[in-house]
Amino acid sequence: MPERGEVVAARAELADAYRLFNWTTDPRLIDEAIHRIRIAEMRLDYLTHPEAAPPQAPQALPWLIG
């Protein structure tokens, strides 16, 4: 599990990105804000969700066993 500080930092990045999006009128800055929002959301998702279980090894075909 990630450090609590990493999650807090990711939430702060997301809040800053939304703040930029809400307060700008320049189309280039809006695009930048959307980009930052997506990055922050992905980082926060990565930090708050446990890793997926590794895939199971493929099973041998029944006629090859034995």
Side-chain angles (χ1 to χ4, degrees):
M1 193 69 171
E3 297 284 328
R4 187 181 187 305
E6 291 180 69
V7 174
V8 170
R11 287 184 177 147
E13 288 175 22
L14 184 59
D16 287 342
Y18 272 111
R19 195 173 300 114
L20 176 62
F21 180 80
N22 290 329
W23 288 99
T24 190
T25 57
D26 184 347
R28 292 173 294 178
L29 290 178
I30 292 171
D31 289 342
E32 174 68 20
I34 292 170
H35 183 69
R36 288 183 185 189
I37 288 169
R38 288 180 180 160
I39 291 171
E41 286 175 340
M42 286 188 282
R43 181 168 185 234
L44 190 58
D45 183 58
Y46 172 76
L47 291 172
T48 57
H49 290 85
E51 293 182 25
Q56 293 182 353
Q59 298 295 322
L61 298 173
W63 55 86
L64 295 178
I65 298 175

